[in-house]
Amino acid sequence: MSLAWTIDLVKELGETKVFTDEATVEKLSKDFYWYSPVLDKRLRDKKADAVISPANEREVEEALAIAYLHRIPVTVRGAGTGNYGQAIPLEGGLVLDLSGMDRIIEIGDGYARVECGVKLGVLERKARELGQELRIYPSTYAKATVGGFVCGGSGGVGSITWGNLWDGNVLEAVVYTMEERPRRLVVSGEQLYDYIHNYGTTGIVTEVVIPLAPRTDWAQAVVQFGDFESAVRFGEALSERDGIAKRLVSPIEWPLPSFFKPLEKVLARDKSVVFTEVAGEALDELKELAASFGGELGHVIEPAMYRKTIGLSDFTWNHTTLWALKADPAYTYLQAGFDRPRYLEQLRALKAEFGDELLMHFEWIRGGGKLLANALPVVRFTTEERLYYIIETCRSIGVEIYDPHTWMLDNGGRGAVQGMQVRKKANDPLGLLNPGKIG
Ligand SMILES: Cc1cc2nc3c(=O)[nH]c(=O)nc-3n(C[C@H](O)[C@H](O)[C@H](O)COP(=O)(O)OP(=O)(O)OC[C@H]3O[C@@H](n4cnc5c(N)ncnc54)[C@H](O)[C@@H]3O)c2cc1C
């Protein structure tokens, strides 16, 4: 414990909250950046000098004041499941591990007020016991924290009905600034855009209020198709069917389902699939709709078994990439926004040029009230040049790519970065919060 600032931290927070040992610092300096071979190469050696684990707001405030005094960079960490190296300290300094701030403060009618380190899975379970549930959550909900999702995520399960983080899915946040005397701000309304998906660069979020939905008894159903295009078109029709309550509509191209080892016995060979979560009473209607697109209902997990077995969402969103990576470490992924009116044309063009180098996996969601044809194609990686050729080809035909192979907020993020830059100057005048992530 030789650094002067760590001695100050120990004095204020006590020895048990401050870590400088190699193993802890290394572990808590890393996230899931290695999903990207581009980031893997560049971020492998980055790490903090120390980690602290505050238990409450007062300790966050004290730690920030000490770091400011010594001009030490501060990078926040929730559960460290982000994919873009968001939680990796590029310039060393202090990692603020907020996973211990995990108090559910209040669950009211239609909302939950929580400390930032509460795991989304824990909150979902508690809310469901009380007849409510989360509106949206990432497929990493079992580990991921509310603060990490708000500050580093975008959308996920539930986004097909409720949109992404920017669609009213955060109601209020308590934020600490990085100044000589850190200020405690209570932020709501449009000002939240400066903090949602901010990578902890504009302030530290210690408390969040999120909206809850009434609980639904979800059935999980696999719908199988002989070809991927029918699967995506069925997904679109299901997404538009207002009468069917839904949480997940994920078309996945064969052979990706062949990588889902735990489902090996229940998935048909050579079939593209749509993984769905729909209200239990809608299963018959789902079956009929599937038939009209040439699809067949396959494996079904009844509502009574919700969360009692591995769930279908454990194979969707970026978990699809995880299963591909387990099968072959050469896979990586992209995040794509197809242009809804011509998405089939775009899909055909990409498949014609890239074939199995680009395995398709859509996530139908709503954003800004509109149905969006979003996708997380799984890419067989060879070289960076080839990866960026694929990205440029997508862009040249009007498929937007939100590049997951960069840690820069401006490139990969979808928030209002210009507003954030202004906010950063006010809240973090010395640029100490997660330096190097925002241009
Ligand atoms: C297999 C897999 C699947 C995934 N699926 C999804 C998905 O469906 N949807 C999705 O959006 N993401 C997804 N992700 C990315 C990630 O899991 C989620 O965004 C998750 O919500 C991040 O939460 P976390 O607690 O791990 O955050 P972390 O990784 O710890 O942090 C994320 C970012 O937020 C900052 N941060 C964390 N807490 C705070 C705070 N309290 N105040 C200020 N800044 C903070 C960190 O500095 C970092 O920049 C996936 C990742 C993997 C590996």
Side-chain angles (χ1 to χ4, degrees):
M1 198 75 63
S2 55
L3 302 161
W5 53 276
T6 60
I7 294 168
D8 282 0
L9 284 170
V10 169
K11 267 193 222 143
E12 284 301 324
L13 279 87
E15 207 157 343
T16 56
K17 306 260 173 68
V18 185
F19 303 90
T20 51
D21 65 285
E22 184 66 23
T24 308
V25 169
E26 173 70 29
K27 183 170 162 221
L28 297 183
S29 293
K30 295 284 155 47
D31 59 13
F32 280 68
Y33 70 105
W34 50 267
Y35 268 43
S36 159
V38 178
L39 297 181
D40 188 30
K41 208 161 67 184
R42 291 174 174 76
L43 296 180
R44 207 178 288 157
D45 299 332
K46 307 283 179 201
K47 65 174 164 50
D49 299 297
V51 175
I52 60 160
S53 301
N56 53 46
E57 275 190 34
R58 188 188 55 79
E59 291 183 353
V60 170
E61 187 182 347
E62 278 168 359
L64 291 178
I66 291 169
Y68 184 90
L69 182 71
H70 292 272
R71 309 299 193 248
I72 302 300
V74 173
T75 303
V76 192
R77 176 187 179 90
T81 66
N83 294 114
Y84 324 125
Q86 300 108 299
I88 296 184
L90 297 181
E91 297 179 12
L94 184 63
V95 160
L96 207 58
D97 166 20
L98 296 184
S99 60
M101 288 182 59
D102 59 355
R103 215 161 37 97
I104 297 178
I105 299 165
E106 183 191 0
I107 296 187
D109 191 11
Y111 68 92
R113 177 180 290 276
V114 298
E115 285 186 339
C116 58
V118 167
K119 288 191 168 72
L120 286 152
V122 170
L123 184 57
E124 161 87 345
R125 191 169 63 237
K126 193 82 203 150
R128 283 179 70 82
E129 281 167 19
L130 299 170
Q132 305 190 73
E133 63 186 22
L134 297 178
R135 280 189 180 181
I136 63 169
Y137 57 86
S139 57
T140 44
Y141 68 96
K143 277 194 191 166
T145 63
V146 176
F149 183 42
V150 168
C151 296
S154 55
V157 181
S159 289
I160 184 55
T161 297
W162 296 104
N164 57 36
L165 283 169
W166 294 268
D167 291 314
N169 288 310
V170 186
L171 299 176
E172 192 184 290
V174 172
V175 177
Y176 276 83
T177 63
M178 185 56 169
E179 295 168 282
E180 189 176 352
R181 288 208 182 85
R183 282 172 295 143
R184 182 185 195 270
L185 312 174
V186 178
V187 181
S188 59
E190 292 205 344
Q191 286 197 2
L192 285 165
Y193 292 131
D194 293 343
Y195 301 98
I196 291 175
H197 203 84
N198 74 344
Y199 293 3
T201 58
T202 55
I204 311 297
V205 172
T206 53
E207 193 175 298
V208 188
V209 182
I210 53 168
L212 297 175
R215 171 184 159 142
T216 295
D217 289 327
W218 299 107
Q220 302 167 77
V222 178
V223 186
Q224 302 166 165
F225 294 86
D227 66 289
F228 184 60
E229 244 182 55
S230 303
V232 196
R233 285 176 44 245
F234 160 77
E236 181 180 30
L238 173 59
S239 302
E240 281 178 328
R241 185 70 71 93
D242 290 337
I244 300 183
K246 58 196 92 61
R247 219 177 189 188
L248 188 72
V249 183
S250 311
I252 306 170
E253 183 185 16
W254 182 266
L256 288 171
S258 70
F259 302 145
F260 303 163
K261 290 296 164 208
L263 299 181
E264 205 167 21
K265 291 200 177 109
V266 296
L267 294 180
R269 272 204 71 75
D270 295 325
K271 299 278 186 194
S272 287
V273 290
V274 182
F275 278 13
T276 69
E277 285 191 30
V278 297
E281 64 271 15
L283 276 175
D284 287 342
E285 197 175 338
L286 184 80
K287 194 172 170 186
E288 254 172 57
L289 186 64
S292 70
F293 285 86
E296 256 182 6
L297 202 58
H299 180 55
V300 172
I301 305 171
E302 296 292 342
M305 294 306 288
Y306 202 54
R307 307 264 192 259
K308 293 188 180 140
T309 62
I310 194 163
L312 292 188
S313 74
D314 296 323
F315 302 89
T316 63
W317 287 85
N318 221 2
H319 269 81
T320 313
T321 316
L322 178 64
W323 291 105
L325 271 165
K326 280 188 187 180
D328 183 344
Y331 282 116
T332 187
Y333 75 113
L334 290 174
Q335 301 173 146
F338 283 69
D339 185 22
R340 174 90 189 286
R342 53 189 175 120
Y343 78 91
L344 284 174
E345 203 182 298
Q346 293 171 325
L347 175 63
R348 282 175 205 141
L350 292 178
K351 286 309 293 183
E353 172 147 9
F354 298 112
D356 281 354
E357 193 178 355
L358 205 59
L359 293 172
M360 285 297 177
H361 152 217
F362 276 64
E363 293 292 345
W364 284 102
I365 64 160
R366 281 183 196 280
K370 283 197 217 138
L371 183 61
L372 303 177
N374 272 17
L376 287 104
V378 174
V379 182
R380 176 170 276 281
F381 181 78
T382 46
T383 63
E384 264 182 54
E385 291 68 34
R386 180 70 182 168
L387 182 67
Y388 279 94
Y389 172 75
I390 296 173
I391 290 176
E392 284 320 313
T393 306
C394 290
R395 287 177 173 154
S396 73
I397 59 165
V399 175
E400 265 190 72
I401 296 292
Y402 314 105
D403 186 359
H405 303 282
T406 172
W407 57 77
M408 291 299 289
L409 198 46
D410 325 38
N411 300 331
R414 270 163 268 185
V417 172
Q418 279 158 353
M420 278 188 193
Q421 285 163 336
V422 175
R423 182 70 62 190
K424 185 167 177 68
K425 286 207 174 83
N427 288 1
D428 176 26
L430 299 183
L432 293 171
L433 291 180
N434 209 352
K437 303 285 171 58
I438 183 167

